[in-house]
Amino acid sequence: MNQPRDNWSSSAGLVLAATGSAIGLGNLWKFPFITWQNNGGAFVLVYLICIVAVGLPIMMAELLIGRRSQKSAVGALKEAAGPWWGIVGGWGVLAGFILLSYYTVIAGWSLYYFAQSIGWSFGGYPAGMAAGDLFNEQVGNAGLQLMLSLGFSIATIAVVYFGVSKGIERIARIFLPILFGILLLLLVSALGMSGSGEALRFIFRANFGELETSGVLEALGHSFFTLSLGMGAMITYGSYISRKQSIVKASGAIVALDTLIALVATVIMFSVIFSVAGMSDQVSGSPVGMLFISLPELFYTAVPFGVVLGPLFYVLVALAALTSTISLLEVVSSYMIDERRVPRHKATILCGAAIFVFTIFAALSFTGTPFLATLEIFAGKIGWFSTVDHFVSNWMLPTGGFAITLAAGWFMTRNATERELLDGTEPRWFRYGAWRFFIRWVAPLAVGAIIVSVILGRDFS
Ligand code: PHE
């Protein structure tokens, strides 16, 4: 017989858990870097437009598809749009599986830097240590990489094991306030630094002459990743809403918080970077460089109270990553639970273990292991890690997101979606007709443009 379905214990549960899923490495690691690469201002403005015009409508679509069916991605899409749509759900589950397998590796690095920074805070930052060498040393150390990602995987499995209200929601309730608190402390300290004015100008002063078309598409692609859209995570989280809770309000809150945190993280990092002469030339050519190479040293040489803020910063990264990895594991496990009738405890451990096998591949991609370090399927993407990252960010999330816009906008009846969004809980400013226009036309066309540009050779990973 059916097991009774676990649900969020309160209306804040969904918002906290979904915000936890959305806020992750995408906000702290990827967004600041792509903002840097695309010269700030205009890029940030375009990103905000993408979030509102494409991300928000799809967020509502995913949540409503989940709430309506009370099933996870595969079952929910089948029920919403027809039996064939189970394939789109399955595509999402696969995306979750692969994404989690390598996301865990980067999350593991935050544990390493947390431990190191505690050491530096007490023992002093080793004078003359080249931060880049330290980074290369840690990613090249196979045993260390496996330990870090195993530790992170176990933490993820442990949370999902306890279920929706006692695991995922409880962790989000504890961790999100801590995360906001740490960010606030960091922000106050960053705003006091000499580079903060330049940082704010860089981020908020739009100069469209500096923005290229590729930047527009990058902003759009990132809005998917950062809001955890396109692979059924929000469908799954939406399926645990039991009482009537406004999907419109919840979506608005999740999207607003995710965006706010991305901007705050960027202000913090740029204030630090602009405060140190010559640093802006040194920020190396990858997001890894900014978070794990430039920043550690700066905390100990330039940031006031860096000895406290340094370790706090890496805890922040780890907490943000954990609330995202649990949502990824939940997508995969809930498929086993809902569709294959496997009990939660067993499903979580089995899925977590299966994913970890692939985490091993990702963790060893930097250690010179034959095949894993040299594999090249997509031009310029060398190694297992880069290959799967490229595949998920460029192909899986946009195609999944595109299909979801079609399901909600074209295959579900107007009546079905209207009933979910106009259920008496919606805020007064909400216009159903506007949502329908965005989900039928604006979102699919925009996401279609990403897919076309990927086919033509553009790279978003
Ligand atoms: N939104 C997360 C981040 O910004 C990543 C993620 C994508 C999590 C898809 C779950 C699902 O880091």
Side-chain angles (χ1 to χ4, degrees), residues 21-27 99 103 225-229 231 233 324 327-328:
S21 168
I23 298 174
L25 299 170
N27 304 59
L99 181 48
Y103 199 93
F225 184 85
T226 190
L227 293 173
S228 307
L229 297 174
M231 39 92 51
S324 298
S327 71
L328 289 163

Side-chain angles (χ1 to χ4, degrees), residues 5 8 17-18 21-22 62-63 71-77 86-101 156-157 159-161 163-164 168 227-240 322-340 344 347-348 351-352 355 396-397 404:
R5 216 159 185 271
W8 306 119
S21 168
E62 289 207 18
L63 291 179
K71 287 189 182 135
S72 52
V74 173
L77 276 161
I87 298 174
V88 175
W91 185 242
V93 173
L94 186 65
F97 189 105
I98 306 178
L99 181 48
L100 179 53
S101 75
T156 307
I157 295 171
V159 177
V160 176
Y161 183 88
V164 175
I168 301 175
L227 293 173
S228 307
L229 297 174
M231 39 92 51
M234 291 301 167
I235 297 184
T236 308
Y237 273 15
S239 76
Y240 301 124
L322 184 65
T323 49
S324 298
T325 54
I326 56 184
S327 71
L328 289 163
L329 182 57
E330 179 63 18
V331 170
V332 184
S333 314
S334 66
Y335 163 73
M336 296 289 274
I337 297 166
D338 289 350
E339 302 294 314
R340 306 259 159 223
R344 171 170 289 272
T348 311
C351 295
I355 293 167
M396 298 197 85
L397 298 186
I404 288 168

Side-chain angles (χ1 to χ4, degrees), residues 12 52 58 137 247 318 348 398 415 447:
V52 174
I58 301 182
E137 212 175 283
I247 287 176
T348 311
N415 235 332
V447 183

Side-chain angles (χ1 to χ4, degrees), residues 148-169:
L148 292 169
S149 40
L150 180 64
F152 214 90
S153 299
I154 291 175
T156 307
I157 295 171
V159 177
V160 176
Y161 183 88
F162 287 104
V164 175
S165 52
K166 295 211 180 67
I168 301 175
E169 182 177 344

